[in-house]
Each structure stands twice: as structure tokens, then as C-alpha cells.
Amino acid sequence: MATQALRPPPRRHVRLDEQLPLDHRLNQVYRIGAGLMGLILIIFGVLGLIDKIGFFDTGGDTVAGLNTNGALSVLSICVGLILLVGMVVGGNIASTLNMVLGVLFIASGFVNLALLDTSYNFLAFHIQNVLFSFVVGVMLMFFGMYGRVSGSLPHDNPYWRARHPEQAEREQRDRARGRLGRVGVG
């Protein structure tokens, strides 16, 4: 009996639906975020390639106030295209993509901050690029986490329902019986 009381409760595996409904309002936030950031990165990359800057040139060529070279331009276009694909797909994929790329942008900012005045700075980063990387990273994380991470998600939110399956099921039964007027009130 004593050993049974010491056992931790069984873990529940929370699995989110693979896709949000196409008309869910969160889907629009994820798509807009991915599309907007992807478009900005593609424009920056194309402008860098138009200037015909050397691929690994660290001479200080600027585009839209940011230092760049051919490698950074191509990388920006590739990441921008990935974000546009995420925008087209939408749903959890766009949200997760935004979060992952946001973390990578912030990590890139820190790495490139450490490499600023070294010979390893092959992407020609300067401090304004580091700040831009931080801003894009935070924006992508905001767009990706919107509606997924909060202490007060509404009860009709699919992520809240996935984290609280028993209460969501109970509320759904109560609504079906007519005892619950609004979602999340009870």
C-alpha cells in the first residue's frame, strides 16, 4: 500500500491535431507572420544579389542599412522561401516553423555577435545585422507562439483543449446538455 501511494501519476501524452481547421483564427496569425517575415528576407536577399556583391566579401557593402554579401543574400532568400512555404501550408506547421526559425535567428544573432571582429565573420555581419537578427527572431517567435503559449488561453483554443482533455470533454458534454452557456464558463 505504501509503495502504491509513492508512485507518480501516469503520464498523459498530449498530442495536438496535425492541422488546425483552415478557418481557425490562429491559422491566419501563423500565416501572416511567416509570410511577412519571409517577404522581408526575400526582398533583402534579392537586393543583395542585384548589387553583385562578392559571395564571401566582407568589405562592408550595405543593402537597406544592413551589411551583406552574396552568401548572406542567398541564405536570406532560402529562409524567406521556407517561411513562404510555411505560410502556404499554415496551421501547426507554420506555427512550429515560426518558432524554430525564431530561435535560430536569435541563436544566429548571438553567434554572429561573437564573430563580429574575427576572420570567421564570413556573412559580413555588423552590429545592425545582429540587432536585425534578434528582432526577426523575436517577431517569428511571437507569431509562432501566439495562441499556443499563455497562462490564460480561452477554453475553445485547440492547444488548451489538448492540454486539458478531461475538462474540455466535461465542458463539451455540459454544452451539449445546455448547462454551459459560453465556452470556458463553468
Side-chain angles (χ1 to χ4, degrees):
M1 283 296 244
T3 59
Q4 193 174 31
L6 296 177
R7 273 191 209 146
R11 292 183 137 193
R12 290 180 299 176
H13 178 66
V14 176
R15 185 175 185 281
L16 299 174
D17 293 336
E18 289 300 316
Q19 285 292 341
L20 287 170
L22 292 178
D23 61 343
H24 199 282
R25 65 185 183 273
L26 292 175
N27 194 26
Q28 297 305 315
V29 174
Y30 306 146
R31 286 178 172 216
I32 289 169
L36 181 65
M37 293 293 115
L39 188 61
I40 289 169
L41 290 171
I42 288 173
I43 290 170
F44 172 72
V46 167
L47 289 174
L49 288 179
I50 288 174
D51 281 348
K52 297 183 181 177
I53 302 167
F55 201 73
F56 289 112
D57 183 25
T58 58
D61 295 313
T62 62
V63 171
L66 298 172
N67 280 33
T68 191
N69 61 16
L72 183 58
S73 295
V74 169
L75 182 62
S76 296
I77 292 171
C78 291
V79 172
L81 288 173
I82 290 170
L83 284 167
L84 287 181
V85 168
M87 178 191 77
V88 170
V89 172
N92 287 345
I93 292 172
S95 172
T96 303
L97 184 65
N98 285 342
M99 286 190 290
V100 168
L101 287 177
V103 169
L104 290 175
F105 264 90
I106 290 175
S108 168
F110 282 116
V111 167
N112 285 297
L113 182 62
L115 299 176
L116 278 183
D117 291 325
T118 69
S119 61
Y120 299 108
N121 187 7
F122 62 91
L123 292 177
F125 262 57
H126 285 176
I127 193 68
Q128 63 266 29
N129 297 76
V130 171
L131 295 175
F132 179 78
S133 186
F134 288 150
V135 168
V136 170
V138 168
M139 292 294 294
L140 283 171
M141 286 175 44
F142 171 78
F143 284 124
M145 290 182 187
Y146 186 82
R148 284 183 91 161
V149 180
S150 173
S152 60
L153 292 174
H155 291 203
D156 67 338
N157 183 297
Y159 302 107
W160 182 90
R161 288 193 315 258
R163 292 180 191 127
H164 304 91
E166 294 88 14
Q167 188 175 350
E169 188 177 314
R170 188 171 50 247
E171 287 179 6
Q172 187 174 358
R173 278 194 314 264
D174 289 346
R175 268 192 307 281
R177 292 181 193 144
R179 280 199 254 157
L180 199 56
R182 290 184 327 148
V183 174
V185 177

